[in-house]
Amino acid sequence: MTAATQPRRMPQSLIALRNILAFLMRSPTSAFGLVVLAILILTAIFAPLLATHDPYVQDLQNTLQRPGNGHLFGTDELGRDIYSRLVYGSRITLTIIFLVTIVVGPIGLLVGTVSGYFGGWWDTVLMRITDIFLSFPSLILSLAFVAALGPSLNNAIIAISLTAWPPIARLARAETLTFRAADYISAARLQGASATRIIWKSIMPMCLPSVMIRLTLNMATVILTAAGLGFLGLGAQPPLPEWGAMIATGRRYMIDHWWLVTFPGLAILAVSLAFNLLGDGLRDALDPKQMNKR
Amino acid sequence: MTDPILDIRNLSVRYRGTPDPAVRGVSFTLGRERLGIVGESGSGKSTVGRALLKLLPTAEITAERMQFEEVDLLNAPERRMLKLRGRRMSMILQDPKFSLNPIQRCGHQIAEAYRTHVRASKAEAKAKAVEMLAAVQIRDPERVYMLYPHEVSGGMGQRIMIAMMLLTDPDLVIADEPTSALDVTVRLQVLNILDALVRDHGIGLIMISHDLNLVRNFCDRVLIMYAGQVVETLDAADLDHATHPYTRGLLAAQPRIGGDRSALPVLERDASWAQTGATT
Amino acid sequence: MWRSRRTARSALQQLTTIAVTLLGLLVMTFIIGRMMPVDPVAAIVGEDATRDVYENVYRKLGLDRPVWQQFLFYLRDVATLDFGVSIRTGQPVLNDILHVLPATIELATFAIIIGAGLGAPLGVMAAVNKDRWPDHVIRVFSLMGHSMPIFWTGMIGLLVFYAGLGWVGGSGRMATFYIGLVPERTGFLFIDSAMAGEWDVFWSALNHVILPAALLGYSSAAYITRMTRSFMLDQLNQEYITTARVKGLSSRKTIWRHAFGNIRVQLVTIVALAYGSLLEGAVLIETVFAWPGFGQYLTSNLIIGDMNAVMTCVLVVGLIFITLNLISDLLYRVFDPRTRAS
């Protein structure tokens, strides 16, 4: 706990990470989250080994087969193996998580640190913009952006990123404000370091750990939004085995063939529950007040 | 002394999750008198007060005997305690800023104490509460009845607290640092009001405080606590003849008007005090 | 005296905030409208219009002007409540939206009643039993609701409770043979059917709303539970709780009358915000339940790229959010004696 409250110093941050992991493994719920995410990552890496069929190959002789008979979770309306599609779908989910992280992290960091470091006019303008984004429900905004950009997986990721950066910016700003007055920042300034350099070299690395944690917390929402976009036909397009899109196509056959929607839904549920449980554990492991807001 | 109100023998309290008990082997009796418990913060004096009311859900209480009048507190179930608390034993807390519910009118909070124990209509409870507000020397009690806690001063808040806790005419009142959150100017006034009510109604009072002078003036007897134990029990009048080095240290650390102006001695602590039991 | 001046200043500050947020909202919808891949002129004149007609409409729409002028035109249109015509229905967009909104409000209201009715007591229970098994069970239960893809839960719900068990009605706001039976006065089916005395329709509507509302409510309960728990934990450590216990109040009365009383105002704020985010879930669940509401209107227009409709929908949602924020703020002022000017 003592190390967890001070996750900022870089040399200590690894120790802090280990302590946090140890703390998380002690609680059964967050341990469940960690395990599910580990499974997700391993599945994505070893998808070709784990899959029993080609996820794209149609077999019109064997459409809508019940689970069993060589198809663990049955087959869909085009005779494709649902289990193999789910396995490959984990790669799409992981791609979404990865891309959203590398887009949202830097944007949020940049806006937050600039706003916090310069203050004044910069701060007012940037934070107003952030507030405007925050005052919107993220799904509706992503819907509108995807509609404007055209439906595709990449555009869905862009749209989600556009709506996911404001809380990160808020956090980075708050962190920056606590560092700005620190002695070593003043020292760097007195030595003539430029603002860009100070932000890049001194402030951003300090904000990074808490930003990463915050991203984990928001990832469940990202997963659900992505699946929702896929379901509405605005995200990943067929024949990609994206879980939300699989549910959308399976919906037509739902009444007589329950397995078409059940398994992809369970996959989404498992991953987003894992992130939520993990986030909840992290919230406990770290300062509860700071993480209270979504 | 007639039958004691309170007879405590060998009381120990340990908070769950901590290795050492916060209170160890405390014994005392209380008649219709005013008993002071003095100690530094962390000495366990507040814990004793709360343990008597069994208000510590996360603590283990053990004792040889915990007798309040005819009730065995140690084995009394919660249902029994609900009938005792607020009716026959009550407690005045430290800071009215925190101890009054911020969103309820002061008067309603007083009336609630009455209605919890006495079958009475709202109007009767209100009349009783207003009468009690007058008894703690609040001018215009009808108006104060309708005020919210943030609208009254600290001194008035503490008088409201006293009214609330003495309304049901209890036999025992525990006052936990009743004046330490107040301005020095109103301390004496509040204490005098409390003192007068306690004397008039023949209530047994336990005054918990860190202020030796205050306890000396307002109590008949004093318990000195250190590290969860009672190190010395004295009549207030005999305080100057204290034998225990800790008590003597506390007394020496008190500034006196008209005394010499040399630096006050630093309170010395000896680890052995925490191991030995009470000396008297 | 100075108190009222301060109130006035904070009111002014708040008005500025609202104005800036509104302006930002308009900029955003304007940008989204500009980004739309659909050619707004072609949408009006059709694919095979002559070049002259096309040019004419192009100028009429102000598309030859600089962007900032176009934005001013847009502001003017919004100010006069002219949001254009929907390509799909041929009706003014505003009429369309006002027509579909009641269905969504009805659904969201039932959902928030269920969500708050579930979330608040669970949150209290979790706080009172902090770190013991009820707390853990409640945490997992509520996070579960928060983690479910609502469109999927909707389908499974239909599969189990409608197709399987037959306990609830299926898609839509009422059974198909009741559609058109009740004259539409307010657009709120429960009010309309009660006014017309058509109690069969009323029950059918109740039968249909209960499943999507329950699922939507369950999904919002997680947030309400978590916030209630953390508010309650704050309160339970307060000294006035000890006072209440000293008075001899039972723990039930202490918790509900004193601690819960103190979080009511905060809770109202949270519920108002949750109500807003229900609109989000409504978009998805309306698609699953063929609920003729705002969400379905929005998604069907998104897919065909009806610019006017989408922009206006986003604007309306933004407005609802701002209003809800404002209302929760106002409620805070009205209900909390500490913020109320005496």
Side-chain angles (χ1 to χ4, degrees):
Chain A
M1 263 321 276
T2 43
T5 52
Q6 278 277 332
R8 291 175 187 122
R9 312 267 175 283
M10 276 322 260
Q12 288 175 6
S13 70
L14 275 180
I15 304 164
L17 187 71
R18 209 185 50 207
N19 285 354
I20 291 171
L21 277 181
F23 181 89
L24 291 175
M25 288 309 285
R26 239 176 292 145
S27 137
T29 51
S30 22
F32 170 83
L34 277 177
V35 168
V36 169
L37 292 184
I39 292 174
L40 176 77
I41 293 169
L42 292 176
T43 310
I45 294 172
F46 298 111
L49 298 176
L50 291 169
T52 51
H53 296 74
D54 187 313
Y56 298 107
V57 165
Q58 304 180 2
D59 179 2
L60 297 176
Q61 309 291 300
N62 270 320
T63 60
L64 300 170
Q65 291 292 309
R66 291 189 153 275
N69 274 335
H71 296 285
L72 191 58
F73 294 157
T75 63
D76 67 5
E77 77 284 1
L78 297 170
R80 294 173 297 195
D81 181 56
I82 290 179
Y83 164 72
S84 303
R85 285 178 69 73
L86 283 181
V87 167
Y88 275 90
S90 66
R91 291 187 161 184
I92 298 178
T93 304
L94 219 56
T95 311
I96 295 170
I97 294 171
F98 179 70
L99 287 179
V100 167
T101 307
I102 62 163
V103 175
V104 166
I107 294 180
L109 264 179
L110 187 70
V111 173
T113 48
V114 165
S115 172
Y117 183 77
F118 291 109
W121 190 80
W122 277 100
D123 189 31
T124 313
V125 171
L126 287 176
M127 280 303 115
R128 266 275 74 101
I129 294 173
T130 312
D131 282 350
I132 290 164
F133 274 89
L134 271 179
S135 68
F136 259 105
S138 59
L139 180 69
I140 307 254
L141 201 57
S142 343
L143 277 178
F145 277 126
V146 179
L149 297 165
S152 80
L153 180 58
N154 288 340
N155 288 346
I157 291 170
I158 294 171
I160 292 170
S161 306
L162 275 173
T163 59
W165 64 268
I168 307 294
R170 266 294 176 85
L171 178 68
R173 174 178 175 269
E175 292 272 293
T176 308
L177 286 178
T178 62
F179 300 134
R180 192 172 60 168
D183 287 341
Y184 63 90
I185 301 286
S186 319
R189 208 178 304 156
L190 286 174
Q191 283 172 6
S194 68
T196 326
R197 195 183 157 78
I198 291 175
I199 290 176
W200 177 250
K201 286 274 181 186
S202 303
I203 292 183
M204 276 197 188
M206 294 306 224
C207 298
L208 209 55
S210 43
V211 163
M212 292 304 285
I213 288 160
R214 187 54 193 251
L215 278 169
T216 316
L217 284 175
N218 289 1
M219 217 33 87
T221 319
V222 168
I223 303 270
L224 287 182
T225 310
L229 289 173
F231 170 71
L232 291 172
L234 295 166
Q237 297 297 305
L240 280 183
E242 197 271 324
W243 297 340
M246 283 171 75
I247 294 176
T249 45
R251 189 179 160 205
R252 264 169 278 157
Y253 310 93
M254 177 180 76
I255 297 287
D256 297 314
H257 313 282
W258 54 269
W259 57 93
L260 260 67
V261 295
T262 307
F263 294 115
L266 284 175
I268 300 172
L269 173 62
V271 174
S272 87
L273 186 63
F275 273 112
N276 268 329
L277 291 173
L278 196 62
D280 217 58
L282 280 176
R283 221 194 302 268
D284 285 350
L286 302 159
D287 181 13
K289 290 280 174 204
Q290 188 191 349
M291 296 289 168
N292 237 344
K293 292 179 106 180
R294 269 202 301 183
Chain B
M1 198 191 295
T2 51
D3 278 351
I5 299 171
L6 206 56
D7 185 6
I8 305 298
R9 250 175 255 163
N10 217 357
L11 169 72
S12 291
V13 182
R14 192 176 64 84
Y15 288 101
R16 224 168 282 152
T18 56
D20 298 319
V23 170
R24 285 180 295 168
V26 168
S27 305
F28 63 91
T29 56
L30 177 81
R32 307 221 169 259
E33 59 177 334
R34 297 160 302 165
L35 174 74
I37 301 182
V38 180
E40 298 168 81
S41 52
S43 62
K45 57 191 193 304
S46 285
T47 304
V48 170
R50 279 162 205 238
L52 293 180
L53 285 164
K54 301 223 317 200
L55 282 174
L56 300 165
T58 62
E60 265 169 39
I61 300 174
T62 52
E64 263 168 48
R65 187 174 156 84
M66 255 177 101
Q67 192 76 19
F68 169 70
E69 293 178 339
E70 86 289 359
V71 187
D72 174 15
L73 290 178
L74 200 60
N75 298 314
E78 176 69 10
R79 263 214 340 254
R80 189 79 211 264
M81 291 308 296
L82 288 180
K83 293 236 163 65
L84 290 180
R85 279 189 215 121
R87 174 69 193 85
R88 289 171 56 190
M89 55 203 299
S90 64
M91 181 157 78
I92 293 160
L93 300 166
Q94 183 172 350
D95 191 343
K97 232 192 290 137
F98 302 112
S99 55
L100 293 173
N101 186 339
I103 61 156
Q104 283 186 12
R105 294 180 197 280
C106 296
H108 292 168
Q109 297 186 49
I110 301 173
E112 187 188 32
Y114 190 66
R115 300 239 299 161
T116 304
H117 298 288
V118 183
R119 201 179 264 277
S121 71
K122 280 193 177 153
E124 282 164 12
K126 177 172 180 176
K128 187 84 186 165
V130 170
E131 183 190 310
M132 199 64 207
L133 281 172
V136 293
Q137 297 176 23
I138 284 177
R139 271 170 285 137
D140 201 358
E142 294 271 356
R143 186 181 67 86
V144 173
Y145 185 93
M146 293 306 283
L147 291 180
Y148 284 100
H150 72 278
E151 295 167 326
V152 301
S153 68
M156 195 186 276
Q158 202 58 313
R159 280 184 276 163
I160 289 167
M161 189 78 194
I162 292 171
M164 191 188 304
M165 290 308 171
L166 297 187
L167 182 64
T168 53
D169 201 5
D171 300 327
L172 168 67
V173 170
I174 300 162
D176 189 354
E177 304 263 10
T179 55
S180 49
L182 303 183
D183 283 348
V184 184
T185 45
V186 293
R187 270 185 198 174
L188 213 59
Q189 187 195 5
V190 168
L191 276 174
N192 282 330
I193 291 168
L194 179 62
D195 193 50
L197 285 169
V198 168
R199 280 169 193 271
D200 290 353
H201 294 259
I203 299 170
L205 174 75
I206 296 179
M207 171 91 85
I208 297 167
S209 178
H210 62 272
D211 187 341
L212 210 53
N213 279 333
L214 184 148
V215 169
R216 181 206 292 260
N217 293 332
F218 279 91
C219 294
D220 307 315
R221 240 164 12 113
V222 183
L223 249 62
I224 315 287
M225 278 188 79
Y226 177 73
Q229 291 180 318
V230 175
V231 292
E232 192 161 19
T233 310
L234 291 161
D235 282 346
D238 295 339
L239 209 53
D240 285 330
H241 310 298
T243 53
H244 196 275
Y246 178 69
T247 317
R248 298 189 69 86
L250 276 183
L251 282 167
Q254 299 277 332
R256 266 164 216 265
I257 294 170
D260 64 54
R261 299 215 184 138
S262 59
L264 290 169
V266 174
L267 189 58
E268 277 175 42
R269 297 173 177 84
D270 192 326
S272 66
W273 303 343
Q275 272 132 42
T276 55
T279 50
T280 47
Chain C
M1 182 56 198
W2 63 273
R3 188 187 198 120
S4 69
R5 201 182 303 155
R6 198 176 55 172
T7 317
R9 192 164 54 189
S10 86
L12 194 74
Q13 222 160 28
Q14 192 152 25
L15 273 179
T16 329
T17 311
I18 293 167
V20 172
T21 314
L22 257 177
L23 195 69
L25 193 63
L26 288 165
V27 171
M28 201 123 81
T29 51
F30 178 75
I31 292 172
I32 290 167
R34 287 304 97 157
M35 285 197 313
M36 289 289 254
V38 182
D39 181 351
V41 183
I44 293 171
V45 298
E47 293 297 331
D48 39 38
T50 62
R51 192 165 177 78
D52 277 354
V53 176
Y54 187 93
E55 291 283 326
N56 201 6
V57 174
Y58 188 78
R59 263 194 302 280
K60 222 177 191 168
L61 287 174
L63 292 174
D64 54 335
R65 309 285 184 93
V67 177
W68 64 269
Q69 275 193 13
Q70 291 184 34
F71 181 64
L72 288 183
F73 287 139
Y74 176 59
L75 283 189
R76 184 197 62 200
D77 289 347
V78 169
T80 55
L81 293 179
D82 174 13
F83 296 100
V85 172
S86 160
I87 298 166
R88 192 168 55 101
T89 61
Q91 295 283 318
V93 173
L94 195 61
N95 288 10
D96 277 354
I97 290 180
L98 290 179
H99 184 74
V100 294
L101 215 45
T104 300
I105 291 176
E106 225 163 51
L107 177 61
T109 306
F110 270 92
I112 200 69
I113 290 169
I114 292 169
L118 197 68
L122 283 182
V124 172
M125 223 147 82
V128 172
N129 295 295
K130 180 173 181 280
D131 289 336
R132 271 173 284 163
W133 66 266
D135 186 23
H136 297 305
V137 170
I138 288 167
R139 171 189 309 223
V140 173
F141 174 77
S142 69
L143 279 180
M144 193 88 168
H146 193 52
S147 308
M148 285 182 176
I150 185 90
F151 51 95
W152 175 73
T153 333
M155 286 181 205
I156 300 293
L158 276 176
L159 211 54
V160 174
F161 295 107
Y162 169 64
L165 300 168
W167 288 355
V168 298
S171 300
R173 291 174 86 186
M174 57 193 137
T176 31
F177 45 87
Y178 289 130
I179 292 173
L181 200 67
V182 173
E184 203 173 294
R185 285 188 208 148
T186 59
F188 295 97
L189 190 54
F190 287 96
I191 298 174
D192 284 345
S193 59
M195 272 164 65
E198 296 279 0
W199 295 107
D200 287 351
V201 180
F202 188 90
W203 287 117
S204 176
L206 195 64
N207 207 15
H208 277 74
V209 81
I210 201 75
L211 182 59
L215 295 174
L216 211 50
Y218 179 33
S219 76
S220 71
Y223 180 57
I224 297 173
T225 306
R226 190 207 298 152
M227 297 314 277
T228 309
R229 177 177 179 275
S230 107
F231 293 156
M232 278 301 278
L233 285 180
D234 281 352
Q235 297 300 326
L236 289 174
N237 288 326
Q238 300 286 323
E239 198 67 345
Y240 71 83
I241 296 296
T242 313
T243 306
R245 304 277 290 137
V246 169
K247 277 198 265 184
L249 260 62
S250 65
S251 50
R252 194 171 52 85
K253 273 184 186 156
T254 309
I255 289 161
W256 289 102
R257 211 187 280 171
H258 287 270
F260 192 74
N262 269 278
I263 69 159
R264 260 191 333 225
V265 185
Q266 288 166 294
L267 206 56
V268 166
T269 316
I270 291 306
V271 169
L273 294 180
Y275 191 81
S277 63
L278 276 182
L279 290 174
E280 203 166 69
V283 169
L284 291 168
I285 207 143
E286 283 183 6
T287 311
V288 176
F289 282 84
W291 196 263
F294 179 81
Q296 219 189 22
Y297 182 78
L298 172 61
T299 46
S300 56
N301 283 313
L302 275 173
I303 287 156
I304 61 161
D306 189 335
M307 188 180 73
N308 283 338
V310 173
M311 281 166 73
T312 315
C313 281
V314 174
L315 196 61
V316 166
V317 172
L319 280 177
I320 291 175
F321 256 61
I322 293 174
T323 317
L324 283 171
N325 270 312
L326 202 65
I327 288 175
S328 65
D329 209 61
L330 271 174
L331 286 174
Y332 209 103
R333 276 156 206 262
V334 172
F335 282 121
D336 195 317
R338 280 160 296 185
T339 55
R340 190 163 47 196
S342 51

